[in-house]
Amino acid sequence: MRTITVLGATGSIGQNTLDVIARHPDKYRVFAITGHANLEELARLAVQCSPRYIVLSDPQAYSAFSALLSKTNCHSEVLVGAQALDDVCSAPEVDTVMSAIVGAAGLLPTLAAVRAGKRVLLANKESLVMSGELFMNAVIEHKAELLPIDSEHNAIFQCLPHDFQYGNLAHSGIAKILLTGSGGPFRILPNESFDAITPDQACAHPNWTMGRKISVDSASMMNKGLEFIEAKWLFGLHENDIEVVLHPQSTIHSMVQYVDGSVIAQMGNPDMRTPIAYGLSFPERISSGVDSLDFSSLADFSFSKPEPSRYPNLYLAMQACEEGQAATTAINAANEVAVEAFLQGQIKFTDIAKVNEQVLQQSDLIELTSIVQVLEHDAEARSLAQQLVRKLN
Ligand code: NAD
Ligand code: MG
């Protein structure tokens, strides 16, 4: 029996995680779920999975949430605040933590799980983008088991040989990691129409149903840029080891190319319950509720290179990856501010790349040797991005 904390339970990944868990009551029990704003959904999930604890990251939500919960038959204990988030990740009863809070807010609780040596199912890519080397050092130091949930990284993980040594592609005869991406909803939109893109259009991904921030990132391909950085840290890669390939059908979730010419791909319907189930059950396999691929209905299977003029954010993130930790922390923070401003109708879709580029240019490339420094650098980049947003507004 595995005992699990689900950070960000009310989100798209969180709900998919609870869906897979509910299919296997003999294997998994929920210790804690956490949520931020969607209190009705959090109460509904609590009734469904009866966790020991429910954590509200926003302490001000306590009375409204308690009133909601009192109308149910759920007797979970309600905790609030940042320390409670850390505590339900590091509690001795817990062996697995699903890290599915969106954005930089996910870093500290995920690190708490890492430092407590848990199995960490990493959906929150932003925490690795912000603090890559420090995060991976903590994984090694505390003997945590880090398993990628992002579909591409989960696919790469599945295509790597069992004797893969972190950062040593030659040892396993690997030539390249092929990171696939669909190109999002605007892959064939004329470039001159990009200024008029609305938040709802950007959030309507052709293949995946996801939270709004990652949906906008997928439309701008910043998501692939963040994933490029994530892959570097997860597998110990050099920038030249990774190639981004457009694959609009999202059937292949990423590939590993070997020196003998073989390419191993992981395929499946675009449904996050597959990587979630693999993370929960690794090294075994469990059913996830995802339909099998129907090859007779796969009409098309195409691949191309992402155009820099269409996807400037992808190339900015790859540039930041080469520049190092301070640059990736800064662009991640800038992007969070810019995407939120776009979703609030304050800036245009095309302004997201302008904010990201300027923050990247203006941020100091200092060495970040502690998480405190990472958070300070994140805060500086956020305030710079907010100034730029005000100018563009
Ligand atoms: P979502 O917006 O649907 O859910 C986000 C969750 O984070 C919610 O539970 C919300 O309550 C919580 N949250 C938001 N702000 C918070 C804060 N300040 N403090 C604490 N909790 C907060 O997002 P999602 O699509 O589920 O994505 C979650 C993470 O997983 C992201 O990092 C995303 O990049 C990653 N991811 C998502 C998918 C996907 O298919 N949705 C795929 C790969 C990776
Ligand atoms: Mg992904």
Side-chain angles (χ1 to χ4, degrees), residues 31-50:
F31 179 76
I33 60 175
T34 85
H36 191 63
N38 190 347
L39 304 183
E40 277 92 11
E41 187 55 25
L42 190 61
R44 189 189 72 76
L45 293 169
V47 170
Q48 183 192 301
C49 70
S50 305

Side-chain angles (χ1 to χ4, degrees), residues 20-67:
V20 176
I21 287 174
R23 291 167 193 275
H24 303 278
D26 54 321
K27 290 189 167 67
Y28 307 106
R29 89 177 130 231
V30 181
F31 179 76
I33 60 175
T34 85
H36 191 63
N38 190 347
L39 304 183
E40 277 92 11
E41 187 55 25
L42 190 61
R44 189 189 72 76
L45 293 169
V47 170
Q48 183 192 301
C49 70
S50 305
R52 182 136 148 224
Y53 297 106
I54 305 167
V55 182
L56 303 167
S57 36
D58 175 10
Q60 299 197 335
Y62 182 78
S63 39
F65 184 74
S66 300

